[in-house]
Amino acid sequence: MAYPLAVDIGSGVTKLAWYSDPTKKKVEVADFPTAAAEFPGGVADDIYDPDAYGLVSYNGTLWAVGDETGSLFRPNQRVNSLSGSWAGSPGWTAILYAAIARAFPDGGAFEVLLSTGLPQAVYGAHRKAILDHLNCKHQFMVGKREYEVTMQANVMPQALAALLHEATGNAEVMNYQSAVVDIGTYTTGYAVLHNGRLQNWRSNGIEVGVSALTQALARWLDDEKGLKVDPAIMPEVMRSRSVMFRDERLDLTEIIGQLATQVAKPIEEALIAAWDHGANDIARVFISGGGAPLFEPAITRIVPHARLSADPGYAVVRGLLTFLD
């Protein structure tokens, strides 16, 4: 029996979804940072945790993945998850293996029915190579647990997966013209579905995401408040929309909204070029991804009938899992 597993290796966050019971009634989700670094010449035993999910070895190489990377390597020592050759690379593969270990922590030999996604802008050029890379037997270790995993893989655009998630509760999403704007850490993808088929000429991606807003907020705090915030805690600042300033908590909701409007300009321009007249011919437009709540006001300014996806942060990976049913 092959176990269904969905893994969305985003440019900033990796998310996974799987069924925790044989009846497929309960879906488990998890996430960790998309970060990886290779140890040069191995690693000393005194820092090798046999139970760690973020230490991956395969093909004679050893990798720190996720939170382990931040503990052991400087930012300039980590692999670049924004390069055109990222998907299918050794670091990308190590992250995929770490995700498998989180869903199936006991190790061993088994089959996985894998569903994964690619950004809309690179899907066509990379899909076949990714499938060739995945559809085989994979041997690796995570911590001290040994794995021998035979994969049957499917690859689809991340934005399309978000639309599939919406279709789970509303079949009309597949029967009419629907669209999604999927806002990730470093990139934003957008896609249009017409009668269940992807309209490639109205679907693409752009290298703007939450990271640009995070950087803009960090600059504002430094310039306006003289506050230099550790980059490691900026994700929490964005989530809470607040930060400690001296002895008080500073509410950042208003300034984040203002900065998001500025940062979203390239996204707006791309959507205006791809979707004429405010997307009035598209019945439903969803906003998904980890940056969806932050950029919703900017998107709805040019697409007034757009609305947040159900569970926007996990819409893509839930859609990837839905495809396997």
Side-chain angles (χ1 to χ4, degrees):
M1 182 181 84
Y3 296 100
L5 174 65
V7 181
D8 176 30
I9 304 178
S11 52
V13 179
T14 292
K15 299 173 183 177
L16 56 150
W18 69 100
Y19 297 108
S20 59
D21 68 310
T23 64
K24 297 184 179 180
K25 291 182 178 179
K26 185 176 181 182
V27 176
E28 300 284 349
V29 295
D31 62 70
F32 58 91
T34 297
E38 184 180 359
F39 287 95
V43 60
D45 290 337
D46 60 345
I47 64 170
Y48 195 96
D49 180 357
D51 297 320
Y53 287 108
L55 293 172
V56 177
S57 58
Y58 74 99
N59 290 348
T61 64
L62 182 62
W63 293 81
V65 168
D67 291 323
E68 296 287 342
T69 310
S71 301
L72 299 170
F73 290 90
R74 295 181 176 135
N76 63 358
Q77 295 176 303
R78 304 168 196 170
V79 295
N80 180 13
S81 63
L82 288 176
S83 71
S85 59
W86 165 241
S89 68
W92 185 94
T93 303
I95 288 173
L96 173 63
Y97 291 163
I100 292 172
R102 291 186 184 225
F104 309 107
D106 296 332
F110 52 91
E111 295 182 6
V112 165
L113 187 60
L114 179 72
S115 183
T116 191
L118 289 173
Q120 182 67 46
V122 302
Y123 169 75
H126 291 271
R127 176 180 177 274
K128 185 180 183 302
I130 297 299
L131 285 173
D132 291 342
H133 175 58
L134 294 177
N135 283 320
C136 62
K137 184 179 292 184
H138 298 254
Q139 294 178 311
F140 56 94
M141 292 178 64
V142 179
K144 289 294 186 181
R145 298 176 298 278
E146 296 183 1
Y147 288 81
E148 186 177 285
V149 178
T150 302
M151 292 189 200
Q152 303 171 49
N154 171 75
V155 180
M156 71 171 58
Q158 291 162 335
L160 177 58
L163 279 176
L164 287 180
H165 172 57
E166 291 297 330
T168 302
N170 184 359
E172 291 185 353
V173 170
M174 302 297 288
N175 297 330
Y176 296 95
Q177 194 142 278
S178 303
V180 66
V181 182
D182 180 47
I183 303 170
T185 304
Y186 294 104
T187 62
T188 293
Y190 50 94
V192 176
L193 205 64
H194 181 67
N195 291 334
R197 294 181 63 87
L198 183 69
Q199 288 189 316
N200 285 287
W201 60 279
R202 303 181 82 183
S203 307
N204 210 325
I206 184 172
E207 291 188 359
V208 176
V210 178
S211 65
L213 178 56
T214 302
Q215 292 166 7
L217 179 61
R219 287 193 297 269
W220 183 88
L221 288 170
D222 189 7
D223 294 343
E224 299 297 326
K225 301 295 182 180
L227 179 63
K228 291 186 180 296
V229 181
D230 183 346
I233 70 169
M234 279 302 296
E236 176 56 33
V237 171
M238 296 295 293
R239 280 191 293 269
S240 66
R241 305 192 190 197
S242 65
V243 68
M244 287 304 299
F245 179 65
R246 298 173 182 163
D247 61 344
E248 62 179 308
R249 182 160 290 278
L250 186 63
D251 185 353
L252 301 173
T253 303
E254 184 177 352
I255 187 60
I256 287 176
Q258 295 173 7
L259 293 172
T261 299
Q262 300 171 19
V263 170
K265 287 292 185 184
I267 300 175
E268 293 178 8
E269 292 169 359
L271 293 180
I272 289 170
W275 303 349
D276 297 333
H277 308 298
N280 287 333
D281 63 320
I282 302 175
R284 295 169 182 83
V285 179
F286 303 99
I287 310 171
S288 67
L294 297 167
F295 285 89
E296 180 189 14
I299 301 302
T300 55
R301 190 170 62 251
I302 61 167
V303 185
H305 60 299
R307 63 175 179 82
L308 287 178
S309 294
D311 193 11
Y314 287 92
V316 170
V317 75
R318 287 185 182 274
L320 289 170
L321 187 64
T322 297
F323 180 82
L324 296 177
D325 292 340

